[in-house]
Amino acid sequence: MSSAAIDALPKPGERVVVTVAHPDDESFGTGSLIALAAANGAQVTVICATRGEAGERLHDRTTDHLPLGVVREQELRAAAETLGVEAVEVLDFVDSGFDGPPPDGSLCAATLDDVAEVLLHRLEPLRPDVVLTIDGSDGHRDHVRIREATLQAVARIERPIRVVQSCLPNSLMRRWIEETRTLNPDAVYLDLDLDSLGRPDSELTRVDTTPYLDAREAAIACHRSQRSPYDGLSDGLRRAFLTNDFIVVN
Protein backbone atom coordinates (compact mmCIF):
# COMPACT_ATOMS: atom_id res chain seq x y z
CA MET A 1 0.00 0.00 0.00
CA SER A 2 1.35 3.44 -0.92
CA SER A 3 2.31 5.97 1.73
CA ALA A 4 -0.40 8.31 0.42
CA ALA A 5 -3.04 5.62 0.98
CA ILE A 6 -1.71 4.89 4.47
CA ASP A 7 -1.85 8.58 5.31
CA ALA A 8 -5.43 8.79 4.00
CA LEU A 9 -6.81 6.02 6.21
CA PRO A 10 -8.56 7.18 9.41
CA LYS A 11 -6.51 7.62 12.55
CA PRO A 12 -7.48 7.45 16.24
CA GLY A 13 -9.83 10.25 17.25
CA GLU A 14 -10.50 11.42 13.69
CA ARG A 15 -14.03 11.99 12.46
CA VAL A 16 -15.10 9.93 9.46
CA VAL A 17 -18.27 10.42 7.44
CA VAL A 18 -19.36 7.72 5.01
CA THR A 19 -21.79 8.76 2.26
CA VAL A 20 -23.79 6.06 0.48
CA ALA A 21 -26.89 5.88 -1.69
CA HIS A 22 -28.81 2.93 -0.24
CA PRO A 23 -28.97 0.78 2.87
CA ASP A 24 -26.53 -2.12 2.30
CA ASP A 25 -24.01 0.05 0.37
CA GLU A 26 -22.29 0.62 3.72
CA SER A 27 -21.82 -3.16 4.14
CA PHE A 28 -21.65 -4.56 0.61
CA GLY A 29 -19.42 -1.69 -0.53
CA THR A 30 -17.49 -0.11 2.34
CA GLY A 31 -18.02 -2.50 5.26
CA SER A 32 -14.39 -3.46 5.81
CA LEU A 33 -13.14 0.13 5.53
CA ILE A 34 -15.74 1.23 8.08
CA ALA A 35 -14.73 -1.57 10.44
CA LEU A 36 -11.06 -0.63 9.95
CA ALA A 37 -11.79 3.02 10.80
CA ALA A 38 -13.76 2.10 13.91
CA ALA A 39 -11.07 -0.35 15.05
CA ASN A 40 -8.47 2.41 14.61
CA GLY A 41 -10.40 4.57 17.05
CA ALA A 42 -12.08 6.89 14.56
CA GLN A 43 -15.61 8.24 15.10
CA VAL A 44 -17.73 7.07 12.16
CA THR A 45 -21.02 8.52 10.92
CA VAL A 46 -22.90 7.06 7.96
CA ILE A 47 -25.10 9.31 5.80
CA CYS A 48 -27.44 7.30 3.59
CA ALA A 49 -29.29 9.22 0.89
CA THR A 50 -32.31 6.90 0.47
CA ARG A 51 -34.17 4.07 2.19
CA GLY A 52 -33.66 1.74 -0.76
CA GLU A 53 -37.34 1.52 -1.64
CA ALA A 54 -36.61 0.23 -5.16
CA GLY A 55 -34.62 -2.79 -4.06
CA GLU A 56 -35.62 -6.31 -5.01
CA ARG A 57 -37.19 -7.74 -1.88
CA LEU A 58 -36.53 -11.23 -0.57
CA HIS A 59 -39.34 -12.96 1.31
CA ASP A 60 -39.14 -12.73 5.11
CA ARG A 61 -42.34 -13.52 7.00
CA THR A 62 -41.17 -11.48 10.01
CA THR A 63 -41.00 -8.23 8.00
CA ASP A 64 -43.13 -8.74 4.89
CA HIS A 65 -45.91 -6.66 6.44
CA LEU A 66 -43.68 -3.58 6.65
CA PRO A 67 -42.83 -1.14 3.84
CA LEU A 68 -39.50 -2.05 2.27
CA GLY A 69 -38.00 1.34 3.10
CA VAL A 70 -38.76 0.83 6.80
CA VAL A 71 -37.20 -2.64 6.75
CA ARG A 72 -34.08 -1.50 4.95
CA GLU A 73 -33.51 1.41 7.31
CA GLN A 74 -33.70 -1.00 10.23
CA GLU A 75 -31.20 -3.26 8.50
CA LEU A 76 -28.90 -0.31 7.85
CA ARG A 77 -28.87 0.68 11.51
CA ALA A 78 -28.22 -2.89 12.65
CA ALA A 79 -25.39 -3.34 10.16
CA ALA A 80 -23.84 0.01 11.09
CA GLU A 81 -23.81 -0.94 14.76
CA THR A 82 -22.12 -4.22 13.86
CA LEU A 83 -19.37 -2.33 12.03
CA GLY A 84 -18.76 0.08 14.91
CA VAL A 85 -20.54 3.13 13.48
CA GLU A 86 -21.48 5.75 16.07
CA ALA A 87 -24.30 7.50 14.20
CA VAL A 88 -26.50 7.00 11.13
CA GLU A 89 -28.32 9.78 9.28
CA VAL A 90 -30.86 8.92 6.58
CA LEU A 91 -31.79 11.60 4.06
CA ASP A 92 -35.22 11.88 2.47
CA PHE A 93 -34.39 11.14 -1.16
CA VAL A 94 -36.21 8.26 -2.82
CA ASP A 95 -34.35 5.35 -4.39
CA SER A 96 -34.06 6.03 -8.15
CA GLY A 97 -33.93 2.38 -9.18
CA PHE A 98 -31.41 1.05 -11.66
CA ASP A 99 -32.92 2.54 -14.81
CA GLY A 100 -36.04 4.09 -16.31
CA PRO A 101 -37.46 7.54 -15.51
CA PRO A 102 -36.33 8.55 -11.99
CA PRO A 103 -39.32 8.72 -9.60
CA ASP A 104 -40.34 12.10 -8.18
CA GLY A 105 -38.25 12.93 -5.14
CA SER A 106 -35.57 10.42 -6.05
CA LEU A 107 -31.84 10.94 -5.80
CA CYS A 108 -31.43 11.17 -9.57
CA ALA A 109 -34.53 13.33 -10.08
CA ALA A 110 -32.91 16.00 -7.90
CA THR A 111 -30.22 18.19 -9.42
CA LEU A 112 -26.63 17.49 -8.52
CA ASP A 113 -26.40 20.92 -6.90
CA ASP A 114 -29.41 20.21 -4.70
CA VAL A 115 -28.03 16.87 -3.53
CA ALA A 116 -24.63 18.45 -2.85
CA GLU A 117 -26.29 21.24 -0.88
CA VAL A 118 -28.12 18.75 1.35
CA LEU A 119 -24.88 16.86 1.96
CA LEU A 120 -23.02 20.08 2.68
CA HIS A 121 -25.46 21.00 5.45
CA ARG A 122 -24.96 17.56 7.00
CA LEU A 123 -21.18 17.52 6.63
CA GLU A 124 -20.41 20.96 8.01
CA PRO A 125 -21.54 20.33 11.60
CA LEU A 126 -19.88 16.90 11.62
CA ARG A 127 -16.51 18.45 10.69
CA PRO A 128 -15.05 15.27 9.17
CA ASP A 129 -11.35 14.66 8.77
CA VAL A 130 -12.10 11.90 6.26
CA VAL A 131 -15.04 11.39 3.91
CA LEU A 132 -15.46 7.90 2.49
CA THR A 133 -17.79 7.28 -0.44
CA ILE A 134 -18.45 4.67 -3.12
CA ASP A 135 -17.13 5.53 -6.56
CA GLY A 136 -20.14 4.37 -8.58
CA SER A 137 -18.15 2.27 -11.03
CA ASP A 138 -20.60 -0.62 -10.65
CA GLY A 139 -22.96 1.23 -12.98
CA HIS A 140 -25.79 2.13 -10.58
CA ARG A 141 -26.88 5.71 -11.23
CA ASP A 142 -27.58 6.43 -7.55
CA HIS A 143 -24.05 5.39 -6.66
CA VAL A 144 -22.66 7.76 -9.27
CA ARG A 145 -24.89 10.58 -8.02
CA ILE A 146 -23.86 10.22 -4.38
CA ARG A 147 -20.18 10.20 -5.36
CA GLU A 148 -20.52 13.32 -7.51
CA ALA A 149 -22.56 15.14 -4.86
CA THR A 150 -20.10 14.16 -2.14
CA LEU A 151 -17.11 15.48 -4.09
CA GLN A 152 -18.97 18.71 -4.85
CA ALA A 153 -20.04 19.20 -1.22
CA VAL A 154 -16.53 18.58 0.13
CA ALA A 155 -15.08 21.06 -2.38
CA ARG A 156 -17.28 23.77 -0.84
CA ILE A 157 -15.87 23.25 2.66
CA GLU A 158 -12.98 25.54 3.50
CA ARG A 159 -10.96 23.11 5.58
CA PRO A 160 -8.81 20.15 4.57
CA ILE A 161 -10.73 16.88 4.21
CA ARG A 162 -9.29 13.65 2.89
CA VAL A 163 -11.68 11.98 0.45
CA VAL A 164 -11.39 8.23 -0.02
CA GLN A 165 -13.36 6.51 -2.77
CA SER A 166 -14.12 2.82 -2.36
CA CYS A 167 -13.74 1.26 -5.81
CA LEU A 168 -14.23 -2.01 -7.65
CA PRO A 169 -11.35 -3.16 -9.87
CA ASN A 170 -12.26 -4.11 -13.41
CA SER A 171 -10.45 -7.44 -13.08
CA LEU A 172 -12.67 -8.57 -10.19
CA MET A 173 -15.82 -7.24 -11.83
CA ARG A 174 -15.09 -9.30 -14.94
CA ARG A 175 -14.80 -12.42 -12.79
CA TRP A 176 -17.99 -11.46 -10.96
CA ILE A 177 -19.92 -11.01 -14.22
CA GLU A 178 -18.71 -14.40 -15.45
CA GLU A 179 -19.96 -16.16 -12.33
CA THR A 180 -23.15 -14.09 -12.11
CA ARG A 181 -24.19 -15.16 -15.61
CA THR A 182 -24.65 -18.65 -14.16
CA LEU A 183 -25.95 -17.67 -10.72
CA ASN A 184 -28.42 -14.94 -11.71
CA PRO A 185 -28.84 -14.69 -15.49
CA ASP A 186 -31.50 -11.97 -15.12
CA ALA A 187 -29.24 -9.55 -13.21
CA VAL A 188 -29.41 -6.03 -14.64
CA TYR A 189 -25.64 -5.65 -14.38
CA LEU A 190 -25.11 -8.28 -17.08
CA ASP A 191 -26.14 -5.75 -19.73
CA LEU A 192 -23.36 -3.30 -18.85
CA ASP A 193 -20.22 -2.81 -20.90
CA LEU A 194 -17.46 -4.90 -19.31
CA ASP A 195 -14.83 -2.29 -20.16
CA SER A 196 -16.72 0.35 -18.18
CA LEU A 197 -17.52 -1.83 -15.16
CA GLY A 198 -15.27 -1.09 -12.22
CA ARG A 199 -12.11 1.02 -12.38
CA PRO A 200 -8.87 0.13 -14.17
CA ASP A 201 -6.75 -1.83 -11.72
CA SER A 202 -3.78 0.43 -12.36
CA GLU A 203 -5.63 3.40 -10.81
CA LEU A 204 -6.30 1.68 -7.51
CA THR A 205 -4.51 1.06 -4.24
CA ARG A 206 -5.25 -2.23 -2.49
CA VAL A 207 -5.89 -2.31 1.25
CA ASP A 208 -5.69 -5.68 3.01
CA THR A 209 -8.83 -5.82 5.15
CA THR A 210 -8.64 -9.50 6.13
CA PRO A 211 -8.83 -8.71 9.89
CA TYR A 212 -12.29 -7.19 9.37
CA LEU A 213 -13.83 -10.05 7.39
CA ASP A 214 -15.95 -11.34 10.28
CA ALA A 215 -17.39 -7.89 10.99
CA ARG A 216 -18.19 -7.33 7.34
CA GLU A 217 -19.83 -10.73 6.97
CA ALA A 218 -21.96 -10.03 10.05
CA ALA A 219 -23.00 -6.65 8.64
CA ILE A 220 -23.89 -8.17 5.27
CA ALA A 221 -26.06 -10.73 7.07
CA CYS A 222 -28.08 -7.88 8.62
CA HIS A 223 -29.50 -7.05 5.18
CA ARG A 224 -31.91 -9.99 5.08
CA SER A 225 -34.31 -8.31 2.63
CA GLN A 226 -31.64 -8.07 -0.06
CA ARG A 227 -29.62 -10.50 -2.13
CA SER A 228 -25.94 -10.00 -1.49
CA PRO A 229 -23.84 -9.58 -4.66
CA TYR A 230 -21.45 -12.11 -3.09
CA ASP A 231 -24.02 -14.89 -2.59
CA GLY A 232 -23.13 -18.05 -4.45
CA LEU A 233 -19.72 -16.87 -5.64
CA SER A 234 -16.82 -19.26 -5.60
CA ASP A 235 -14.89 -19.15 -2.34
CA GLY A 236 -11.88 -17.62 -4.06
CA LEU A 237 -13.79 -14.76 -5.68
CA ARG A 238 -15.86 -14.05 -2.58
CA ARG A 239 -12.70 -13.80 -0.49
CA ALA A 240 -11.01 -11.63 -3.13
CA PHE A 241 -13.86 -9.12 -2.78
CA LEU A 242 -14.23 -9.24 1.00
CA THR A 243 -10.63 -9.28 2.20
CA ASN A 244 -9.29 -6.66 -0.21
CA ASP A 245 -10.53 -3.11 -0.55
CA PHE A 246 -9.48 -0.89 -3.40
CA ILE A 247 -9.35 2.88 -3.00
CA VAL A 248 -8.63 6.13 -4.75
CA VAL A 249 -7.56 9.05 -2.57
CA ASN A 250 -8.50 12.61 -3.57
Side-chain angles (χ1 to χ4, degrees), residues 3-224:
S3 59
I6 293 173
D7 290 342
L9 294 176
K11 300 172 179 59
E14 288 193 318
R15 295 176 294 273
V16 179
V17 176
V18 184
T19 61
V20 295
H22 316 108
D24 77 24
D25 292 341
E26 86 299 327
S27 299
F28 297 169
T30 61
S32 297
L33 293 174
I34 291 175
L36 180 156
N40 281 354
Q43 302 168 20
V44 184
T45 297
V46 170
I47 298 176
C48 185
T50 79
R51 290 172 173 81
E53 302 90 343
E56 296 182 8
R57 186 172 194 163
L58 298 179
H59 171 67
D60 182 352
R61 59 189 179 87
T62 64
T63 59
D64 280 349
H65 65 289
L66 296 172
L68 181 57
V70 171
V71 173
R72 295 195 70 185
E73 182 175 348
Q74 292 173 350
E75 292 171 345
L76 164 64
R77 294 185 183 279
E81 183 176 358
T82 298
L83 293 170
V85 172
E86 295 193 6
V88 174
E89 297 186 19
V90 181
L91 308 182
D92 290 325
F93 294 105
V94 174
D95 187 341
S96 306
F98 191 81
D99 53 18
D104 290 344
S106 67
L107 190 59
C108 285
T111 68
L112 177 59
D113 284 346
D114 284 347
V115 179
E117 189 69 19
V118 171
L119 284 178
L120 178 63
H121 286 305
R122 298 300 182 106
L123 287 172
E124 285 185 320
L126 292 170
R127 296 183 61 79
D129 301 288
V130 180
V131 170
L132 169 65
T133 194
I134 50 180
D135 82 329
S137 62
D138 65 348
H140 197 299
R141 58 186 177 179
D142 275 347
H143 297 170
V144 174
R145 177 53 55 94
I146 200 66
R147 179 204 71 206
E148 292 175 339
T150 296
L151 295 176
Q152 186 166 310
V154 169
R156 297 180 188 177
I157 298 176
E158 295 182 357
R159 52 186 297 269
I161 297 174
R162 307 194 302 279
V163 178
V164 178
Q165 295 186 50
S166 174
C167 308
L168 294 165
N170 181 262
S171 61
L172 284 186
M173 293 303 291
R174 286 176 177 272
R175 292 171 59 189
W176 181 80
I177 286 290
E178 182 178 343
E179 293 196 12
T180 299
R181 287 191 193 282
T182 301
L183 295 168
N184 185 14
D186 295 326
V188 294
Y189 288 97
L190 297 181
D191 294 329
L192 297 175
D193 176 13
L194 277 177
D195 290 334
S196 65
L197 201 55
R199 294 275 283 266
D201 291 52
S202 60
E203 296 178 1
L204 308 179
T205 296
R206 185 183 72 87
V207 180
D208 181 0
T209 52
T210 303
Y212 312 102
L213 177 60
D214 288 347
R216 188 171 185 182
E217 292 277 27
I220 288 171
C222 289
H223 293 281
R224 294 172 57 186

